[in-house]
Amino acid sequence: MTCEECGTKLTTAKYCSGACRQRAYRRRSRDVVPTSPRLDTFAGRTTELAELTTLLGRNRIVTVTGPPGVGKSRLVHEVVANRQHVLMVELADVRRVPDLLAGAPRPGLLVLDGCEHVLDDCANLIAAHPSFRVLATSHAPLNVPGEQVYRLTPLGARDAKRLFVDRAVALDSEFDENASLLDVVCARLDRLPLALELAARLVRVLTLEEIVARLDDRFAVLTTGPRDAPAHHRSLHAAFERGYELLTEGEKVALHKFALMPGTVGQEMAERLRSRSLLEPDFTMLESVRQFALPGVSVTTPRPQAEPEEAALSWRDERLLRVAAMVAEGLTNKQIADGLHVSLRTVEADVRDLKSVLGVRSRAQIAAWTTQA
């Protein structure tokens, strides 16, 4: 055995002296801190990579925000992959952020990945070191002086399809890259990278038709993330639940209400949901966010504020209204499923959601609400 610093022969220790130990420490501190290599490819985001690189060159603090599963962490890893003197700090499992830079050599760039649950600590860290360059990811901005916020949106249609195909082919070399349902899968999953990657892993056991049929229950299906991924990237539900737990009770209620009837949420509360990346910049809601929020809806009004034809309804809202109308006609769940060309399980879930949303217990009460609306 030899000293790891100078090569002197040793018997047990790693270094021959305290001086060699200190030199080794200083050398490691000066060296590049590489990001973890990824075995999979990085699909798309050419424009985002260029824009974020430019922002980093012009601003001391840049925070990448966006909804759960939109690919904030992966984009940041790609941006800093070839940079030197990067200190990458993963905050997903951290409850308190100490002064990471106290007494340490100055990195060229400090990356704080996943700040949403420790925003105050991260802001204090940045304030304590005003000269450091920082790149952060978070559901919400840090709200510190000099911060430039970069809102990351879902993938474009072409890149979303490319990502799904890339991951699917890696698991099944015979996967049909021109499958007609690819566009449907990507659109239904809001072109969210995490959702697409989790769905692609299902091609080993399901056809695309079967995957599409299960997307109404996506949070129960998209649960097969890689074993080495962070816990909140192993399932779509975990990704959304992590941000949901950070909401105040008022924000949770507002999120549930917006999922069913956006008009019932005031402008101030809608702004708060948007600042946490749960609403899009134009105050619309991604379908995945809506499906996550619908089971917890509790409204005090028995009818929508606008007629269905006047409201901006998603396909999910429209189907719930159609299910309610068919319940009022006295149709069974099986008859409704056949009429809507969906699974019986989907209709049963819709009926449960309607009962929860309307605060009722029976199909007769759903029918009564339908005739009043």
Side-chain angles (χ1 to χ4, degrees):
M1 178 182 291
T2 60
C3 174
E4 292 187 4
E5 183 62 19
C6 68
T8 300
K9 289 186 178 181
L10 302 173
T11 54
T12 58
K14 293 174 63 176
Y15 304 104
C16 65
S17 66
C20 274
R21 183 180 294 105
Q22 288 297 320
R23 281 195 294 270
Y25 171 78
R26 289 194 295 270
R27 176 175 52 78
R28 288 196 303 270
S29 299
R30 289 193 304 269
D31 287 345
V32 175
V33 181
T35 56
S36 299
R38 294 292 297 259
L39 300 179
D40 52 10
T41 58
F42 183 71
R45 298 295 197 198
T46 303
T47 299
E48 290 87 342
L49 281 169
E51 291 176 344
L52 192 52
T53 299
T54 299
L55 284 176
L56 272 176
R58 296 176 178 175
N59 301 273
R60 188 177 70 84
I61 305 167
V62 177
T63 302
V64 181
T65 65
V70 79
K72 299 181 292 295
S73 296
R74 185 61 192 275
L75 176 64
V76 164
H77 276 259
E78 290 297 317
V79 167
V80 304
N82 297 315
R83 286 175 174 258
Q84 294 186 341
H85 310 298
V86 174
L87 177 58
M88 175 77 72
V89 183
E90 306 283 353
L91 297 173
D93 299 320
V94 173
R95 294 185 179 275
R96 295 285 301 174
V97 180
D99 190 343
L100 303 165
L101 305 173
R106 173 175 176 169
L109 177 66
L110 173 63
V111 180
L112 301 174
D113 187 20
C115 300
E116 50 271 355
H117 61 301
V118 284
L119 287 174
D120 289 342
D121 281 1
C122 291
N124 292 335
L125 175 65
I126 292 171
H129 300 278
S131 64
F132 281 95
R133 190 173 296 275
V134 177
L135 175 60
T137 71
S138 177
H139 294 167
L142 296 173
N143 289 327
V144 295
E147 178 186 29
Q148 179 69 42
V149 178
Y150 183 78
R151 175 67 180 251
L152 187 61
T153 58
L155 290 166
R158 180 179 298 179
D159 287 339
K161 182 186 282 190
R162 176 187 165 194
L163 175 64
F164 187 94
V165 169
D166 182 86
R167 300 300 188 261
V169 170
L171 295 168
D172 179 3
S173 60
E174 298 182 358
F175 178 78
D176 181 6
E177 299 185 23
N178 298 310
S180 60
L181 287 176
L182 275 176
D183 290 327
V184 175
V185 172
C186 294
R188 289 284 303 277
L189 292 176
D190 303 299
R191 304 190 305 279
L192 290 173
L194 177 62
L196 293 171
E197 293 194 358
L198 292 172
R201 294 176 68 85
L202 298 175
V203 301
R204 292 176 296 184
V205 293
L206 299 174
T207 65
L208 272 185
E209 290 80 2
E210 291 171 330
I211 291 174
V212 170
R214 287 163 170 77
L215 292 185
D216 285 341
D217 199 14
R218 67 192 65 185
F219 291 102
V221 176
L222 302 182
T223 58
T224 56
R227 186 175 295 121
D228 62 347
H232 62 287
H233 286 165
R234 293 178 201 160
S235 77
L236 192 62
H237 186 274
F240 280 78
E241 182 70 17
R242 183 168 181 263
Y244 179 79
E245 291 175 350
L246 301 174
L247 300 178
T248 65
E249 289 305 314
E251 289 168 344
K252 290 178 181 178
V253 171
L255 178 68
H256 297 321
K257 288 186 176 182
F258 196 102
L260 181 69
M261 292 179 288
T264 61
V265 177
Q267 182 67 24
E268 180 182 353
M269 188 59 74
E271 287 278 6
R272 288 167 63 176
L273 294 178
R274 185 173 69 166
S275 72
R276 293 183 176 273
S277 301
L278 292 169
L279 297 182
E280 295 303 284
D282 60 355
F283 292 100
T284 59
M285 179 178 275
L286 295 178
E287 188 58 37
S288 294
V289 179
R290 187 184 304 278
Q291 286 204 23
F292 176 84
L294 270 175
V297 172
S298 177
V299 296
T300 56
T301 174
R303 55 189 298 169
Q305 298 299 306
E307 294 299 326
E309 61 270 17
E310 297 175 350
L313 298 177
S314 71
W315 64 269
R316 168 72 170 175
D317 295 329
E318 292 174 353
R319 196 184 71 220
L320 284 176
L321 290 176
R322 290 181 66 185
V323 169
M326 296 171 86
V327 167
E329 293 175 12
L331 300 180
T332 65
N333 286 352
K334 181 65 169 61
Q335 291 171 322
I336 295 173
D338 292 341
L340 296 180
H341 303 290
V342 298
S343 68
L344 178 60
R345 182 180 178 184
T346 295
V347 174
E348 291 172 344
D350 286 345
V351 172
R352 288 196 300 271
D353 286 346
L354 281 167
K355 290 179 181 178
S356 175
V357 165
L358 302 174
V360 301
R361 297 184 177 181
S362 69
R363 297 170 70 90
Q365 289 173 307
I366 293 176
W369 173 86
T370 302
T371 58
Q372 295 171 6

